[in-house]
Amino acid sequence: MPYDYRPFPYVAPPGLNGPEPRHKVIIVGAGPVGLALAIDLANHGVPSVVLDDNNVVSVGSRAICWSKRSLEILDRLGVGEQAVTKGVTWKVGRTFHRDAEVFNFDLLPEAGHKMPAFVNLQQYYVEEYLVARAQALPLIDLRFKNKVVGVAQHGSHASVTVETPDGSYALEAEWVVACDGARSPLRGMLGLDFDGELFEERFLIADIEMQRDGVPERWFWFEPEFHAGQSALLHKQPDNIYRIDLQLGWDANPEAERQPERVIPRIAKVVGHADFRLDWVSVYTFQCRRLTRFVEDRVIFIGDAAHVVSPFGARGGNGGLQDVDALGWRLAAVVLGSAPPDALAAFDRERCFGADENILNSARSTRFMSPEPGVERLFRDAVLDLAGRADFARPMVNSGRLSRPCVYPMPDAPDVAALPAASRPGAVAPDAPLGNGWLCEALGRGFVLLGCGVDVPKVAGTTPLRVVGGAEIRARYLGDAAGAVYLVRPDQVVAARWLAPAAAEVAATLRAVQEGRL
Amino acid sequence: MSLNTQPNIADADGFYAALLAAHRGLTEAESHAMNARLVLVLANHVGSRAVLDQALALARGESRP
């Protein structure tokens, strides 16, 4: 069944009848990133106005591949279980060269985590769940058909001009967060440009509905017989919708390629029959670029508005949710006055690092998939040729390195090197079973002082959480130590860890983290 | 570990002949492809990134032994 795009109601905003009081936060764009930020801020007690030029969810599946980390973030926002229930959980990927399988991977998710390694779920479902959640929260003022057409900086606040079906109005806020996508109009309005690479390659992306048996897997072909010299990807989504990506080459005409009479025969060759319904088609080019900085006075850029990557590796939507994760608690603290605006520099630092890691990985995948003629092509073909007969070449085959959360560099954070690497400062606190639930459910509201096998000192601004070490806690948090104390940030990232810290030591570290110095 | 630039193949003339023999009958394009595969095979055998980086620099003419 095709997805039912039900329009959300437009309500004339109060600003049309007179100036509104200055808001705390305006979020521009009600995609997954903007909605997630609004909910995260609301969870921290901060109200926001979300403006979207449209009144339906994403048309087309777009971001489909949600990583474990994204699912944990969505869970904290109240929609994670819905996403996993509806989504297609998968763990096996197969890579073919010509018609032979050269390599496969099993994500072999480690046991003892609430969330699976990946689920595939159309972006429109994620947005539908987030909209419903946002609409249930009184702190969120979600305004559809409110299009931002102008933005101005005023030192301690920013203002936007908004067009609605009933005319235009002005709106002020202490902070404006641009979540308005890869073509970000706000970025253009502020005259900011992207640095990085544009790849001269075109891909056709199509969703089809068909019946197909078998376990859901990610299938990637280099130079398949059915699509000579190019590459192709097949991936399953809910509702019997399959995502197909076909490399077209730079000379392809995007308008002609998106016509059904061109698309249908191409896809019929991939799936071996024509018994399918074409649901959505798009033609895209690759870019791997970002803004030089994400905080521009009172306007903050996150998600595709701040950085874009090629789609192989699932680093667009997942990268955007990690931006939300790093920004939400900090912006809330700044708005509530418990941290100085300078603390946002730490968000900028961390997410520029994250974006660079995503750009690096996605640019490498793109280069492998679409090598320049000459020596790039020579080595790419050499790797594919060897991969079928020598194990060592298989990890060099790159059809996308799947999104994992980056570990933020925190060289000055208190650390004990003998504790497990998985939970070192800068890493997301690894999940583990906890009573009848999960550790990740107990983290992520405020700062948590997690005592594994030991009592924790009483430190203002932290919630104590004493856990007794099961096997997973031991492996992920203790190693050979009898006990350890972890300071976990509201975004579930480990800020510091000790064996037996004094309260003053923890308090000083907490302050440094809150002020963006650590 | 550092790159061994001292003679290390017992029968250097024999290996040189075997290398040429392996390319015999190949077109220039096929020879390039085989060399690319050979580089990957040998690089994997060496393994150490530090050694490989020195080998890359030496091959590019950026350093002297």
Side-chain angles (χ1 to χ4, degrees), chain A residues 70-87:
Chain A
S70 291
L71 294 168
E72 289 168 353
I73 295 169
L74 291 174
D75 200 36
R76 210 174 65 218
L77 303 179
V79 303
E81 289 176 9
Q82 240 177 327
V84 174
T85 305
K86 178 69 185 177

Side-chain angles (χ1 to χ4, degrees), chain A residues 182-353:
Chain A
R183 282 188 277 271
S184 172
L186 257 77
R187 209 174 56 220
M189 289 171 211
L190 290 177
L192 303 172
D193 213 356
F194 271 2
D195 283 335
E197 273 183 290
L198 169 68
F199 288 93
E200 295 199 337
E201 184 55 82
R202 282 184 210 287
F203 268 75
L204 171 82
I205 189 165
D207 281 348
I208 60 167
E209 184 183 345
M210 67 172 176
Q211 293 295 328
R212 192 170 191 267
D213 295 331
V215 189
E217 296 179 342
R218 178 188 195 262
W219 286 20
F220 194 99
W221 293 268
F222 290 99
E223 306 182 306
E225 303 293 337
F226 60 74
H227 192 52
Q230 306 284 18
S231 58
L233 172 71
L234 179 71
H235 221 172
K236 189 181 184 192
Q237 308 168 52
D239 305 339
N240 287 319
I241 301 278
Y242 287 79
R243 159 71 60 82
I244 291 164
D245 285 74
L246 286 171
Q247 189 180 8
L248 295 175
W250 183 239
D251 297 331
N253 175 337
E255 268 317 305
E257 293 299 340
R258 81 172 109 235
Q259 300 310 313
E261 59 269 26
R262 287 288 272 278
V263 174
I264 289 171
R266 278 193 194 278
I267 292 175
K269 282 209 235 167
V270 180
V271 298
H273 59 78
D275 187 15
F276 57 83
R277 181 184 65 79
L278 198 56
D279 188 72
W280 174 65
V281 177
S282 180
V283 174
Y284 62 88
T285 54
F286 287 148
Q287 294 186 35
C288 293
R289 319 212 267 185
R290 73 165 170 91
L291 287 169
T292 351
R293 56 174 186 261
F294 301 161
V295 181
E296 198 67 40
D297 297 331
R298 290 285 163 153
V299 182
I300 303 169
F301 290 84
I302 59 173
D304 284 356
H307 43 71
V308 288
V309 292
S310 83
F312 298 96
R315 289 166 184 274
N318 292 309
L321 287 183
Q322 282 160 42
D323 291 347
V324 170
D325 215 19
L327 177 62
W329 63 277
R330 291 187 168 107
L331 184 58
V334 169
V335 166
L336 297 172
S338 59
D342 292 352
L344 294 177
F347 150 77
D348 192 61
R349 185 172 72 228
E350 289 183 354
R351 290 318 298 162
C352 283
F353 176 84

Side-chain angles (χ1 to χ4, degrees), chain A residues 378-379 382-383 385-386 389 392, chain B residues 29 32-33 36-37 39-41 44:
Chain A
L378 191 70
F379 276 107
V383 167
D385 187 58
L386 286 167
R389 42 205 170 96
F392 84 84
Chain B
H32 284 310
R37 292 194 293 272
V39 166
L40 294 172
V41 168
N44 179 68

Side-chain angles (χ1 to χ4, degrees), chain A residues 189 348 468 511 518:
Chain A
M189 289 171 211
D348 192 61
V468 180
R511 199 69 215 141
L518 255 188

Side-chain angles (χ1 to χ4, degrees), chain A residues 414-486:
Chain A
D415 189 17
V416 179
L419 293 171
S423 54
R424 65 192 182 277
V428 173
D431 196 9
L434 189 66
N436 294 324
W438 301 93
L439 180 58
C440 69
E441 294 169 338
L443 304 172
R445 285 172 193 84
F447 281 89
V448 171
L449 202 52
L450 173 67
C452 301
V454 288
D455 285 327
V456 298
K458 202 166 151 55
V459 178
T462 66
T463 305
L465 176 66
R466 164 89 203 258
V467 299
V468 180
E472 290 88 356
I473 293 281
R474 173 149 295 284
R476 293 165 199 169
Y477 288 90
L478 287 172
D480 295 327
V485 174
Y486 283 74

